[in-house]
Amino acid sequence: TMLPLLLLLLPAAQGIVQLGYRPALTKEPPLEGLTTASTFVVDQPRCVFQDYRNAVIWLVVALEQAVSSFNNTAGPGTPETAFQGFPYPVRAYMTLNTTLDSYPCPKPDGDITVLRVGSETSCAEDERRPTCNGPLPGPGPYQVKFLALEGSVPVAETAWSLPITLRTAKPPSSISTAGSGHSADMIAITTILSILFAILLAALVAMLFFWGSDSCGSSSTFSKPESVTVRRYNTHHVYDQPAARL
């Protein structure tokens, strides 16, 4: 019964090697989305774990207030370090495990040397993937470190990163337009132009209506033709003369 306890105490007795490396947000240009609402990008630990070729290197992601209480002997993939329980009750989880072959030193030309934390969405709620690199649930702040395990024994670790805070979306009600003088001027100009256009359109409609009614009145009014008086003339020289005799 004492053997499991001795195995747990062995790393503490030997001590975990503290490496002189601190993870940080990458500075490699040009990189879009260094931090988003649910992810951030850190540099890979190249040329850091060269003395631990048989180790598996894990990334530990913790809430800032949980850094001091993280237990290095907590095994990856256990309920104590499962992503699906983060941030409560799990305060730190382990993810992105790989061997030293994935972090060659020196870096070959063209290699991608960054890690995007929080990029996997398909396993975020899959309890069969407790080491999922799932989206981070809030702005943080978070801190990360790399931990090397040989079997289940932690042998080396880096320092914790500085606190990393993610972006937060502003609610529409918090967006102020008081200082945007250019936008206010454009709104005023647009309003004036709209009013002038409405007046012009109304005048055009009234003019068309007036012309239409005038043309209809002209076509329905007929002038009465003047009566023509024809005088009748009697040919007195024909009727007053006696009839011609044969």
Side-chain angles (χ1 to χ4, degrees), residues 21-25 42-43 59 144-146 158-162 164:
Y21 177 82
R22 183 186 299 275
L25 292 174
V42 296
D43 286 318
L59 178 70
V144 298
K145 73 174 181 179
F146 291 97
T158 67
W160 288 98
S161 70
L162 297 175
I164 300 171

Side-chain angles (χ1 to χ4, degrees), residues 38-110:
S38 60
T39 69
F40 60 88
V41 183
V42 296
D43 286 318
Q44 293 179 356
R46 297 295 180 103
C47 305
V48 175
F49 292 95
Q50 295 304 108
D51 295 334
Y52 304 93
R53 303 210 59 86
N54 296 325
V56 176
I57 303 166
W58 292 83
L59 178 70
V60 182
V61 183
L63 294 172
E64 182 183 17
Q65 59 268 31
V67 166
S68 59
S69 60
F70 177 72
N71 181 11
N72 281 329
T73 61
T78 63
E80 188 178 355
T81 60
F83 169 80
Q84 288 74 20
F86 186 79
Y88 183 82
V90 174
R91 312 297 280 173
Y93 66 95
M94 300 174 69
T95 187
L96 293 175
N97 57 305
T98 187
T99 62
L100 194 60
D101 293 336
S102 298
Y103 299 143
C105 179
K107 176 185 79 70
D109 293 338

Side-chain angles (χ1 to χ4, degrees), residues 11-19 52 72-73 145 147-149 153-158:
Q14 293 180 341
I16 300 174
V17 176
Q18 304 293 319
L19 302 174
Y52 304 93
N72 281 329
T73 61
K145 73 174 181 179
L147 177 64
L149 301 180
V153 178
V155 292
E157 66 176 351
T158 67

Side-chain angles (χ1 to χ4, degrees), residues 196-232:
L196 292 176
F197 178 76
I199 294 173
L200 179 62
L201 182 62
L204 180 61
V205 171
M207 186 178 297
L208 291 175
F209 178 78
F210 175 77
W211 285 350
S213 62
D214 185 64
S215 61
C216 290
S218 299
S219 62
S220 61
T221 303
F222 297 95
S223 60
K224 183 178 179 180
E226 295 182 359
S227 58
V228 180
T229 304
V230 179
R231 290 185 178 184
R232 185 175 182 177

Side-chain angles (χ1 to χ4, degrees), residues 3 6 14 44 53 59 101 123 136 152 165 168 180 208:
L3 183 59
L6 290 175
Q14 293 180 341
Q44 293 179 356
R53 303 210 59 86
L59 178 70
D101 293 336
C123 58
L136 295 164
S152 59
T165 302
T168 54
S180 55
L208 291 175

